[in-house]
Amino acid sequence: MKKILIIGASGQIGSDLTGELRGKFGSQNIIATDIKKATHEVMENGPFEILDVMDKKGIASIIDKYKITDIYHLAAILSGNAEKNPKWAWNINMESLFNVLDIAIEKKIEKVFWPSSMGAFGSTTPAINTPQLTIMEPSTVYGISKQAGERWCEYYFKKYGLDVRSLRYPGLISWKTEAGGGTTDYAVEIFYEAIKNGKYECFLSDNTSLPMMYMADAVKATIMLMEAPADKVKVRSSYNLGGISFTPKEIADEIRKYIPNLLVSYKPDFRQVIADSWPRSISDEAAQKDWGWKHEYDLPKMTKAMIENIREKLQ
Ligand code: NAD
Ligand code: SER
């Protein structure tokens, strides 16, 4: 029977992915872990343990305790926070991956999921419809750790036969938790501020176009990739995921369909430089061809879902 360990389950992705996996495979079969407490939903609806991914023995003991078969390793320091303390972020992002990959081999784990990011691309990458195979010269410590992580995942697959799978997520938009310190966080914050205060000061310029995705699509892609037969998973570094591309001005205009008086001002900070080095849109043709990927949410559908869910949550 499948027993899944999620590391970093209290974060933006874990807060949605944990519930989805519990619904699919049974609550008792999904072990959520993090260094901090999770949402009420994640902590109450199935096993939850405090676990530091830097503690290799701790991971091993949870694997033994629950007879884990698969691992989703979500713990990381995201792009904005990583730039504030680059060596600390590099250490966590890389050491945690080595801990998980090495333990996966020792404990004969069947499958590992580790997310990469569009942050693995850089300013020399073709910015429009970025292909799967292309120039990758990331300029952030986050991007460098994702690019190196991709290479290591492919190395462990080829050298040790570890079934490790990965997606290059675009910016993810969701409502269950706050975003975790990335460059695309504005696209979550703007909804909360619009609903609570009717105004928002954006840390990117109004015309900064970035690839984004609603969390329901990201979770669906993650589970589809992990459930695909191994011979369909041809890319063992990380698959591009495209989603939808929009600017802060475009998302603000869409939100104004629900909150007509929303005021948005623009005060770009250090994250503007990061955003400027990332693609404007991404081609996920390889994911479409290999395991049938297709996203569902466009900007209007995502905006409607965000507004409805946040309004209900804040009631
Ligand atoms: P997040 O910051 O919201 O969550 C990460 C979680 O990891 C947090 O709950 C944090 O407490 C936990 N964590 C940090 N250090 C830990 C440690 N030492 N031990 C155990 N847990 C620890 O991030 P997220 O948005 O959920 O992202 C998850 C993964 O997806 C990351 O690898 C991230 O780079 C990647 N990703 C996210 C996005 C996005 O837009 N959210 C986009 C691309 C890639
Ligand atoms: N959303 C992430 C970030 O901004 C992209 O990997 O860091």
Side-chain angles (χ1 to χ4, degrees):
M1 183 195 290
K2 203 185 275 293
K3 284 263 185 183
I4 297 176
L5 168 63
I6 305 179
I7 301 173
S10 306
Q12 194 194 358
I13 298 176
S15 302
D16 279 86
L17 181 64
T18 305
E20 215 42 49
L21 288 171
R22 283 180 174 158
K24 193 169 169 61
F25 298 112
S27 296
Q28 292 312 311
N29 298 322
I30 310 299
I31 318 314
T33 70
D34 203 291
I35 38 167
K36 65 177 190 197
K37 286 185 176 176
T39 59
H40 183 77
E41 183 191 328
V42 166
M43 294 192 58
E44 296 307 313
N45 294 346
F48 177 86
E49 302 252 6
I50 292 291
L51 173 68
D52 184 346
V53 69
M54 305 301 272
D55 172 11
K56 206 172 163 189
K57 283 191 183 145
I59 305 176
S61 110
I62 297 231
I63 290 175
D64 291 343
K65 177 174 170 186
Y66 291 98
K67 301 191 172 25
I68 296 296
T69 59
D70 297 4
I71 301 177
Y72 289 63
H73 167 27
L74 305 178
I77 307 303
L78 274 73
S79 60
N81 284 346
E83 285 311 296
K84 293 179 195 158
N85 197 340
K87 287 193 179 151
W88 166 75
W90 171 260
N91 187 40
I92 292 183
N93 290 358
M94 296 313 300
E95 281 308 311
S96 69
L97 178 59
F98 283 125
N99 280 350
V100 170
L101 295 177
D102 287 337
I103 289 183
I105 289 169
E106 278 166 37
K107 300 283 181 189
K108 300 192 171 33
I109 294 297
E110 288 169 18
K111 276 184 246 174
V112 174
F113 177 77
W114 171 82
S116 183
S117 160
M118 64 168 164
F121 298 117
S123 57
T124 51
T125 302
I128 310 291
N129 221 17
T130 301
Q132 176 67 41
L133 287 174
T134 187
I135 300 165
M136 295 175 81
E137 295 184 314
S139 51
T140 63
V141 66
Y142 177 71
I144 300 169
S145 74
K146 290 300 186 188
Q147 187 193 32
E150 288 187 11
R151 300 283 89 230
W152 279 109
C153 286
E154 192 185 82
Y155 183 90
Y156 272 67
F157 171 72
K158 286 188 172 161
K159 182 131 184 165
Y160 306 115
L162 180 66
D163 189 349
V164 48
R165 305 177 181 201
S166 177
L167 294 170
R168 289 175 186 147
Y169 292 128
L172 301 182
I173 299 171
S174 66
W175 55 271
K176 287 192 179 170
T177 52
E178 287 175 16
T183 301
T184 57
D185 291 17
Y186 90 83
V188 175
E189 291 170 8
I190 192 170
F191 283 99
Y192 278 93
E193 294 306 312
I195 290 169
K196 287 197 281 194
N197 304 318
K199 60 180 182 182
Y200 179 61
E201 184 178 275
C202 183
F203 58 76
L204 296 183
S205 66
D206 63 344
N207 60 354
T208 307
S209 179
L210 285 171
M212 301 275 190
M213 182 174 276
Y214 188 50
M215 188 61 83
D217 272 338
V219 164
K220 187 168 117 190
T222 307
I223 296 176
M224 271 181 82
L225 173 66
M226 287 299 273
E227 290 305 298
D231 63 340
K232 299 271 182 213
V233 184
K234 313 258 188 237
V235 175
R236 291 298 181 155
S237 50
S238 191
Y239 275 98
N240 275 8
L241 263 197
I244 41 177
S245 289
F246 54 79
T247 65
K249 182 178 180 313
E250 286 164 344
I251 196 173
D253 286 344
E254 194 61 38
I255 295 172
R256 284 195 189 96
K257 292 181 182 164
Y258 301 84
I259 304 166
N261 295 330
L262 170 65
L263 286 174
V264 181
S265 55
Y266 298 92
K267 196 174 173 197
D269 68 11
F270 71 101
R271 288 167 284 192
Q272 184 67 48
V273 179
I274 302 177
D276 288 342
S277 75
W278 288 354
R280 302 283 160 253
S281 59
I282 289 177
S283 162
D284 53 23
E285 228 175 286
Q288 293 175 34
K289 192 165 135 281
D290 290 357
W291 39 274
W293 170 244
K294 192 173 185 303
H295 73 267
E296 186 187 325
Y297 283 80
D298 58 11
L299 179 59
K301 190 168 175 183
M302 180 197 78
T303 303
K304 183 170 186 287
M306 285 292 284
I307 300 265
E308 286 173 0
N309 281 308
I310 295 173
R311 277 188 173 151
E312 197 182 321
K313 179 181 167 185
L314 295 180
Q315 259 174 18

